[in-house]
Amino acid sequence: MKNVIICILLAAASAVMAQSPYDSLYANLPIEIERVQPVVFPDTTVNLKTYFKQHQVLPLTPNATNVKLATEAIQQAIDELAKAGGGHIVLPRGTWKTGPITLRSNIDFHLTKGSVLLFTEDKSEYVKPDSKGRVPSKARACITASKAENIGITGEGVIDGQGFYWRPIKYKKLMKGSDEDKAMWEYAKSLGGRCIPNGSDTIWYPFSLNKELGIPNIAATPDEQEKMRYHLVSINDSKNVLVEGVTLRNSPKFHLVPARIHNLIISGITVECPWWAQNGDAMDIGNSQVCLVTGCNITCGDDGICMKGGVGADGVKRGPNRDFLIIGNTVLRAHGGFVIGSEFSGGMQRLIVKDCVFDGTDIGLRFKSAPGRGGWCEDIICQDIVMKNIREDAIFFESGYADRAVGRSATDGDNKEAFFPDWGNCIFRNITAVNVRSFVNATGLKTNPVHDCLFENIKIYGLIREPLKLSFCNRFTFKDCTYSGGTKNKIDKSCSSILWDGTNLAE
């Protein structure tokens, strides 16, 4: 009997130890989804101070000139620790300027509080030939990892991509901002660059900047150089990835781009860049399975928390975004708080967005795609969300979205005869929105209407225009929804079975 009791106690202790620190976030969810597991690293710790001393790298100081980059020292530390089995690389306090670096399996890159990893503005550092002499057609991302396991970027430090020296700026967009924003146009022009008319607008490109800045071009024209800019953190084809606590800011393009990841945890990070930053997405997660995004704070120049799924047959091959919990996040200035698209041919399955706040975004929940880049949805549930000061729509569906690069027309080359967006099987529940232009704005396709969506217990205050603006939508059910303000609904004859507490609004 005594042995039996001991076995029971040992089993109970083992079960407690096996519990994940993230388990509490998965309590009381509307559907069961696969849970993330903690990412574990070896106990070995290496402080970069030692490598900086060996390479004679000093922290950046005001008015410093001829600063030696820390690239070689950081990469050597990563490579040597990875070869020894892995562990923690610690960036000490101070501002350290570097070129692009690559993470390896079993490496946690840890930024201590007060540390800044500042990526150089010298674009030539991002297009250096590789070990085989191959010159990349695009700039390298600032931090990369590929085909690796157990990768971490953690701590309380800052990763700054100095994106101002990469991004084009639209004149008309800046003029809609504050006096400080408007002054940025004159500051940009004072650095040189090229101002190129674009219809009724003008675009400033950071191309041929003043020579004293020491920032050479890496392409023959502003347009070609614009196509080369890349992301701040790009991790692909890997498993067990942890991004925790750090601040990501001022990316040349998107800030955090994990693609084809299994077991991804993004916890407590801050993402920030100017609201006018072109293509300044906070995070774009593509074709990944089992993911947690929690406790993040975002202010950015494009989409906030964005789901991607690849284009066409390639996206299908790479599989869906599956089993996501996006909980307890705050998105301020952004084009959309939570976004799917525009490319999602691989599909979206079991995504839960819960307990989030969107304050000042253009759109709250934004679903956008087009023929040639669409996919399918299953069990998309957005609930317990607060929206405030939304400039356009609380909930938005668009099946004819044109993906345009800056200064150019809509994307060419998509297969417009296949891969239609199939928006459906979505639930929106327990949402409060204050000061929005419309409640639901949804446009499907004649061949693929937006379909089978439930809107339950949603309270909208301070509507400015139509509560509902629907075209090619079928089987929308509104239950216990109320709104104040607004004008008459616009539901065209292409819609059917639009039910408001049992009453068909589309007839």
Side-chain angles (χ1 to χ4, degrees), residues 69 71 96-101 117-130 134-144 159-163 165-166 215-218 228-233 250-252:
L69 297 182
T71 318
W96 309 91
K97 184 177 277 193
T98 181
I101 60 174
L117 191 65
L118 184 71
F119 282 89
T120 179
E121 64 276 19
D122 184 352
K123 300 183 183 72
S124 65
E125 289 289 327
Y126 302 85
V127 291
K128 287 184 173 181
D130 63 15
R134 296 172 298 193
V135 178
S137 59
K138 278 192 173 183
R140 284 182 57 190
C142 298
I143 297 177
T144 56
I159 301 172
D160 191 320
Q162 296 210 79
Y165 297 103
W166 290 87
I215 306 176
N217 297 325
I218 56 173
M228 294 182 72
R229 66 188 172 109
Y230 216 57
H231 312 309
L232 186 61
V233 179
N250 294 327
S251 174

Side-chain angles (χ1 to χ4, degrees), residues 151-163:
I151 306 165
I153 302 174
T154 66
E156 299 179 72
V158 175
I159 301 172
D160 191 320
Q162 296 210 79

Side-chain angles (χ1 to χ4, degrees), residues 282-397:
M283 62 180 77
D284 289 62
I285 307 171
N287 302 95
S288 297
Q289 291 78 48
V290 192
C291 175
L292 172 66
V293 180
T294 183
C296 299
N297 292 281
I298 293 168
T299 301
C300 67
D302 208 308
D303 291 327
I305 302 171
C306 186
M307 306 289 102
K308 300 283 190 180
V311 177
D314 185 59
V316 173
K317 181 180 178 181
R318 292 174 173 181
N321 269 1
R322 170 179 63 77
D323 293 306
F324 275 55
L325 177 58
I326 298 165
I327 185 169
N329 303 287
T330 299
V331 182
L332 302 176
R333 198 82 183 240
H335 288 187
F338 172 77
V339 182
I340 298 177
S342 62
E343 65 273 20
F344 76 111
S345 298
M348 299 286 153
Q349 184 179 39
R350 296 192 295 275
L351 308 186
I352 300 173
V353 184
K354 189 175 185 293
D355 296 324
C356 292
V357 175
F358 307 143
D359 187 353
T361 62
D362 293 348
I363 295 170
L365 298 162
R366 186 186 191 199
F367 303 80
K368 55 176 182 173
S369 192
R373 50 186 45 226
W376 53 275
C377 292
E378 181 180 284
D379 292 330
I380 311 300
I381 302 174
C382 305
Q383 69 176 52
D384 306 315
I385 293 171
V386 173
M387 303 184 193
K388 299 184 289 182
N389 307 312
I390 306 299
R391 293 175 178 78
E392 298 295 333
D393 313 301
I395 301 168
F396 174 86
F397 288 92

Side-chain angles (χ1 to χ4, degrees), residues 157-213:
V158 175
I159 301 172
D160 191 320
Q162 296 210 79
F164 176 82
Y165 297 103
W166 290 87
R167 298 186 298 255
I169 300 174
K170 293 181 177 179
Y171 174 79
K172 281 191 172 181
K173 183 182 285 189
L174 275 184
M175 292 306 108
K176 295 177 182 178
S178 64
D179 290 342
E180 183 178 357
D181 295 328
K182 295 173 183 176
M184 183 58 66
W185 181 258
E186 296 303 323
Y187 173 72
K189 290 198 302 179
S190 74
L191 300 180
R194 295 277 183 88
C195 290
I196 299 177
N198 183 53
S200 61
D201 202 355
T202 300
I203 300 176
W204 176 85
Y205 290 87
F207 183 84
S208 295
L209 296 172
N210 295 338
K211 289 183 178 180
E212 57 267 26
L213 294 174

Side-chain angles (χ1 to χ4, degrees), residues 40-71:
V40 180
F41 304 96
D43 290 335
T44 305
T45 297
V46 171
N47 195 311
L48 281 168
K49 281 183 179 179
T50 302
Y51 285 84
F52 290 160
K53 186 176 181 179
Q54 290 175 1
H55 288 262
Q56 298 180 323
V57 174
L58 299 174
L60 194 65
T61 57
N63 304 316
T65 58
N66 298 319
V67 176
K68 184 174 183 179
L69 297 182
T71 318

